[in-house]
Amino acid sequence: MAAEVAAGEERQARISGRDLVRALMREPMALLAVLFLFCLALAALFADWIAPYDPLMPNIFSGRLPPLSEAKGMTGDIQFHILGTDALGRDMLTRLLYGAQASVSVGVIAVAASGTIGTVLGLIAGYYGGRIETFIMRTVDGVMAVPSLLVALFVLFLIGGGLFNMILIFTFVRWVVYARLARGITLSYRESSFVEAARAIGARDSRIIFRHILPNMISPLLVLATLEVALLILAEAGLSFLGFGLQPPAPSWGLMVARGREYLREAWWMITFPGLAIFLTTLSLNLLANWLRTITDPLQRWRWLI
């Protein structure tokens, strides 16, 4: 056992792609989560080619058909609806695929934007300190003092819903979590030996921040970003459910749940499948984040690398 621990400790400093694949294969739940998220990303990227029908075209002759039903389309062709149809006769599978585009786009783009802004400001605050740090961190405290969902509801009520507006408001309310994390890690590294050595050889502040300090916080930032994607997908679904997100007839998982609740007794599939998509996506992201946290922790990852 001691030899196995020592072998794992020898590779703590660097993990190759082969090590990650092997570690992932040893964790079935994380592997299933990655496979599901990979399929979801493909569905969102290639929905225009994968989706069998038009997501916006209604069919008054095939409304609320159960899963595995056949119906005649508006042009007279026979259509097979694997997941059934909604109240307007639109194919549920098609709308789920296009809804993935909206949910994934909001989560990924908003996380990328808020993560970039928050990380840069947190690095600057932690490295320079003084008035710059005070100004940035008091701004962070002010933004975090108000519930983010309440701010999103208020702003979207004023400017209207839509994909771009949701990404904008999510970026505004969520950059603060990255700033606090980046600032805390930067404070712990600012006086470390490798930073002092970089200063001694004349490295500029920008090089020290982005080439020496930033790479050491990639792991916790990656875990946080994964959790934030799940959070923003849930937030987008909630806002769309309340009518402040994407507007009809645009396909959105939250909007599909909102419309499906009106037909819960006679058409259970209208609310079940979009709700299941939201649940599986957030669950997979949380499982992935938990695995990433373990595999990037030098004190725990040896268990997966021996």
Side-chain angles (χ1 to χ4, degrees):
M1 182 64 181
E4 292 178 347
V5 173
E9 290 177 345
E10 289 178 359
R11 292 188 292 175
Q12 284 181 358
R14 179 178 300 176
I15 304 178
S16 66
R18 183 177 299 178
D19 291 331
L20 287 176
V21 172
R22 184 168 62 253
L24 187 61
M25 296 298 292
R26 293 182 178 181
E27 181 55 46
M29 296 303 295
L31 178 60
L32 290 176
V34 170
L35 291 176
F36 176 82
L37 293 173
F38 178 73
C39 294
L40 179 66
L42 290 180
L45 288 173
F46 302 105
D48 293 336
W49 294 273
I50 299 175
Y53 307 111
D54 189 337
L56 305 180
M57 180 63 67
N59 185 353
I60 59 176
F61 302 110
S62 59
R64 288 180 288 174
L65 291 179
L68 304 178
S69 297
E70 288 186 355
K72 183 178 292 187
M74 296 295 290
T75 59
D77 59 321
I78 300 298
Q79 298 179 349
F80 184 67
H81 304 287
I82 298 177
L83 301 183
T85 62
D86 64 5
L88 297 179
R90 297 171 296 193
D91 183 66
M92 287 291 296
L93 177 59
T94 299
R95 291 184 63 80
L96 279 176
L97 292 175
Y98 278 92
Q101 284 186 335
S103 298
V104 173
S105 297
V106 169
V108 173
I109 297 176
V111 163
S114 60
T116 301
I117 296 172
T119 300
V120 171
L121 292 177
L123 283 166
I124 293 174
Y127 185 80
Y128 289 105
R131 294 182 179 179
I132 296 178
E133 180 185 17
T134 301
F135 174 76
I136 293 176
M137 299 315 297
R138 295 299 75 78
T139 303
V140 168
D141 293 339
V143 174
M144 297 191 73
V146 183
S148 57
L149 186 59
L150 182 62
V151 174
L153 284 171
F154 178 73
V155 175
L156 290 174
F157 174 76
L158 293 178
I159 66 177
L163 188 65
F164 177 77
N165 289 342
M166 280 195 297
I167 292 174
L168 190 65
I169 190 60
F170 285 153
T171 301
F172 172 75
V173 299
R174 299 308 299 174
W175 68 270
V176 293
V177 296
Y178 299 95
R180 294 190 67 174
L181 177 63
R183 179 248 184 185
I185 298 176
T186 304
L187 286 176
S188 65
Y189 285 135
R190 185 173 60 183
E191 304 301 332
S192 59
S193 57
F194 69 90
V195 172
E196 292 293 341
R199 290 198 190 102
I201 63 175
R204 295 175 299 177
D205 289 345
S206 59
R207 181 177 179 85
I208 295 174
I209 291 173
F210 294 108
R211 294 294 300 273
H212 297 283
I213 298 179
L214 179 60
N216 287 282
M217 64 176 69
I218 292 298
S219 295
L221 286 175
L222 184 61
V223 175
L224 176 61
T226 305
L227 292 173
E228 282 290 303
V229 172
L231 176 65
L232 294 187
I233 288 177
L234 283 175
E236 182 275 329
L239 291 173
S240 297
F241 180 85
L242 296 173
F244 292 94
L246 293 182
Q247 301 300 310
S252 166
W253 290 346
L255 197 57
M256 293 173 69
V257 171
R259 294 296 177 263
R261 64 175 177 169
E262 302 172 6
Y263 306 95
L264 182 58
R265 292 183 180 273
E266 60 269 25
W268 55 267
W269 56 90
M270 289 178 57
I271 192 173
T272 300
F273 291 125
L276 192 61
I278 296 171
F279 168 74
L280 290 177
T281 302
T282 53
L283 176 63
S284 298
L285 286 167
N286 278 274
L287 289 173
L288 177 59
N290 183 65
W291 179 79
L292 287 173
R293 180 187 59 80
T294 303
I295 201 65
T296 56
D297 186 351
L299 299 179
Q300 300 185 44
R301 66 186 179 205
W302 65 269
R303 301 175 183 271
W304 308 105
L305 301 178
I306 57 177

